[in-house]
């Protein structure tokens, strides 16, 4: 009989990505949880938990919040 190939690791996307340094450097008055549209290579990086928000900030442009 052939053995079933099972991997012990299951890949799951991270539940959330946070900018911890921003919470240390700034006084956060309000938080908003939102989804994000991913395009191109950032999909794989974020799925693997390698997102980097070091210099990121949000800006409201025409009623939409954009991650810059």
């Amino acid at each position: 009989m052939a053995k079933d190939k099972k991997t012990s690791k299951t890949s799951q996307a991270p539940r959330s990505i946070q900018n911890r340094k921003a919470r240390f450097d700034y006084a956060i008055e309000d938080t908003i949880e939102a989804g994000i549209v991913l395009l191109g290579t950032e999909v794989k990086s974020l799925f693997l938990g390698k997102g980097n928000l070091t210099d990121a900030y949000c800006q409201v442009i025409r009623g939409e919040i954009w991650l810059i």
Side-chain angles (χ1 to χ4, degrees):
M1 261 199 271
K3 293 183 180 179
D4 291 334
K5 292 184 180 180
K6 294 184 181 180
T7 58
S8 60
K9 292 184 179 181
T10 58
S11 21
Q12 292 181 344
R15 296 186 63 93
S16 68
I17 298 172
Q18 298 178 6
N19 187 342
R20 292 185 187 111
K21 186 175 180 182
R23 293 189 177 276
F24 180 78
D25 291 342
Y26 302 99
I28 307 296
E29 294 179 7
D30 195 13
T31 60
I32 297 172
E33 185 173 330
I36 187 170
V37 176
L38 301 175
L39 303 170
T41 57
E42 65 266 11
V43 175
K44 184 175 180 180
S45 295
L46 290 176
F47 185 78
L48 295 173
K50 297 181 180 180
N52 184 355
L53 298 176
T54 302
D55 296 322
Y57 63 94
C58 290
Q59 185 173 10
V60 179
I61 302 173
R62 286 175 270 165
E64 296 180 338
I65 297 177
W66 288 80
L67 181 65
I68 310 287

